[in-house]
Amino acid sequence: MLVRINPESDAPLFAQIAASVRADAAAGRVRPGDRLPAARDIAAALGVNVHTVLHAYQDLRDEGLVELRRGRGAVVTEQASTLESLHHDIHDLVARARAAGLASDALAALVKEIAAHDDRTTR
């Protein structure tokens, strides 16, 4: 697994690390039961503070994508399979939107609007 960050991005480093793990799960590069690299190893490889990586892992735990186990580290949950399935659905949606001439920004705005509406109605 290769964790990627962009030091020039406005996004916080912990969010970039979490997004990289999420993307690997969606692409099927990490699977349920896989152990993520130790936070110290990722921190050393990226040149960031270990607490930054731990923050990312805690966010992923809160999302249900990883379990943090004492002595075993971060282990990927079944949620990775769900992300992989959604990845295929999203790919199909993007292809349909492009065929209809819808810009990426417009599609993203539409998805955010629908998700926000659904969040409000399920509370």
Side-chain angles (χ1 to χ4, degrees):
M1 185 180 103
L2 178 65
V3 175
R4 298 163 210 79
I5 60 168
N6 177 359
E8 296 179 17
S9 172
D10 290 337
L13 293 174
F14 75 89
Q16 291 184 53
I17 293 167
S20 182
V21 173
R22 226 178 274 113
D24 279 352
R29 290 186 291 268
V30 294
R31 301 234 179 246
D34 286 353
R35 286 181 49 190
L36 297 181
R40 280 185 173 79
D41 294 344
I42 291 180
L46 297 176
V48 300
N49 188 295
V50 70
H51 294 289
T52 301
V53 180
L54 290 172
H55 188 169
Y57 279 11
Q58 289 165 351
D59 282 359
L60 294 168
R61 178 204 56 206
D62 293 347
E63 293 171 14
L65 185 57
V66 300
E67 289 179 351
L68 298 178
R69 299 178 182 169
R70 194 177 263 331
R72 289 201 58 216
V75 179
V76 179
T77 67
E78 286 297 322
Q79 184 73 14
S81 297
T82 302
L83 282 179
E84 187 176 6
S85 176
L86 283 173
H87 179 78
H88 297 296
D89 294 341
I90 292 167
H91 181 74
D92 292 343
L93 177 62
V94 168
R96 288 179 55 203
R98 280 201 180 124
L102 190 64
S104 298
D105 290 346
L107 176 60
L110 182 59
V111 169
K112 285 180 182 179
E113 180 181 320
I114 291 170
H117 177 267
D118 286 354
D119 286 347
R120 288 191 302 269
T121 59
T122 59
R123 289 182 194 175

